[in-house]
Amino acid sequence: MAYRMKCNNRDIDFTGDLGIIALKSCEELGKKMDSSIKALREKEGIPLPESGTFLIDMEEIRFSNGEGKVIIHDSIRGKDIYIISDVGNYSCTYPLYGHENRMGPDEHYQSIKRAVSAIGGKAARINVVMPMLYASRQDRRKGRESLDCSMTLRELEHMGVKTLVTFDVHNSSVQNATTLMSFENIYATYEIVKNFLEDEEDILTNKDNFLIISPDVGGMERAVYYSTVMNTDVGMFYKRRDYSRIESGRNPIVQHEYLGKDVEGKNVIIIDDMIASGESIAEIAKELKNRKANKIFAATTFAMFTKGDGIFQDLYDQGLLDRLYSTNLTYVPEETTKKPWFKHIDMSPFAAEIISNLNMNKSLTPVVDATSRLSDKLN
């Protein structure tokens, strides 16, 4: 339950003792966040739990017919619980009728609901940390089709979830589907740009020779934010689609049209929230090289590699892509993280600070405000 504690001669309000339920899809990230929170608390003089960890002992069980169950072994009464799940982690498997079955987003989301159910109303507050928002690309209706994302938010709200923490939502307006549940949409901008600066510091010494590129109209707001923070120009590609047919649930892209300043001799970074197959990035990189761009980078919050990483290896081998920056907020195969063209950005300290602040009823602004932090770093 909520209480106040004096630490380092100042009063801190806690919503309850912090507890983290890291589901199977987020075990590694959960352990890293636990270590980061402990380091933050020790720095602030806040006592750590007697168990030495904020992680709640639990397990996910699968029956032979595929049905699942979550069992919580620790006491969670009166605690401020954070359920962490990576709905894009396709490395999680379970046996099903003699076959090894991979867990998809639907099954990961079911595990979140099972965890909420297992808590049984005993916690002081239930929060969900879903780095990649479930069904976030199903955010608007163009015909007789489901709206899975808005249904998800309403369902979590109905189940008593107080706060949903997610990152770089494909369309942030989906939060309008819920009115009582707090919706925290966090951007990975600071961590991505910080890593880019550490690796490519010489590129920004001449900002007139550098461009931010948005791969489509929908990502223009994100690209403008990056360009504002990095004090450089921005360009955009327009996806011309064939609306007479549908492939894999979408209208296929016919051609990418470029709008913006001349890219000849310039270094560019393509900014997007997620990369699925990578085909759009490949086409844009080729078009930029045809326009005589110099170095080409790409940065995304979620690299899903739905068709493997071969397309990016080919781009790198052909000199069409220098490096791809992405976070560990969703699963990336270990062999991919070791490729010379891939930079894996650890977001666990950043996410840990967000959870710690929420637990202590502290403002998130100092943590998530990338503009002032990056301005200081750039200067």
Side-chain angles (χ1 to χ4, degrees), residues 112-277:
I112 293 174
K113 293 197 293 182
R114 292 186 184 109
V116 175
S117 175
I119 290 171
K122 302 299 190 296
R125 186 171 68 173
I126 302 174
N127 314 276
V128 171
V129 181
M130 205 186 309
M132 185 165 65
L133 184 62
Y134 172 71
S136 59
R137 292 198 288 181
Q138 300 178 54
D139 58 309
R140 65 189 71 183
R141 177 174 284 150
K142 297 179 181 178
R144 291 190 181 96
E145 55 183 291
S146 60
L147 283 174
D148 295 34
C149 193
S150 61
M151 287 195 299
T152 296
L153 296 177
R154 290 188 179 191
E155 188 171 29
L156 291 174
E157 182 181 57
H158 178 71
M159 294 180 71
V161 174
K162 297 299 182 183
T163 304
L164 175 70
V165 179
T166 188
F167 289 79
D168 208 347
V169 174
H170 192 64
N171 180 3
S172 60
S173 64
V174 296
Q175 63 185 297
N176 294 327
T178 176
T179 56
L180 301 177
M181 181 175 66
S182 176
F183 187 97
E184 300 291 349
N185 180 28
I186 313 297
Y187 290 94
T189 311
Y190 175 74
E191 296 297 329
I192 290 175
V193 176
K194 183 181 73 172
N195 278 267
F196 181 75
L197 288 173
E198 291 170 355
D199 295 340
E200 313 293 340
E201 185 177 0
D202 57 318
I203 286 180
L204 284 177
T205 55
N206 184 3
K207 294 180 181 179
D208 294 333
N209 217 31
F210 183 68
L211 272 176
I212 302 290
I213 299 292
S214 172
D216 52 37
V217 177
M220 194 60 186
E221 183 180 346
R222 183 180 299 102
V224 169
Y225 178 63
Y226 271 81
S227 70
T228 302
V229 168
M230 300 173 77
N231 192 25
T232 186
D233 287 317
V234 63
M236 180 191 75
F237 275 87
Y238 167 69
K239 293 178 181 177
R240 191 151 55 86
R241 296 180 180 272
D242 182 357
Y243 289 98
S244 65
R245 57 196 176 96
I246 296 177
E247 293 180 3
S248 301
R250 307 182 73 183
N251 299 108
I253 299 170
V254 177
Q255 189 175 347
H256 287 85
E257 303 280 359
Y258 177 68
L259 302 171
K261 296 185 74 172
D262 185 14
V263 300
E264 184 175 352
K266 288 183 169 61
N267 302 304
V268 301
I269 180 168
I270 307 166
I271 301 292
D272 209 353
D273 61 329
M274 63 174 66
I275 291 176
S277 65

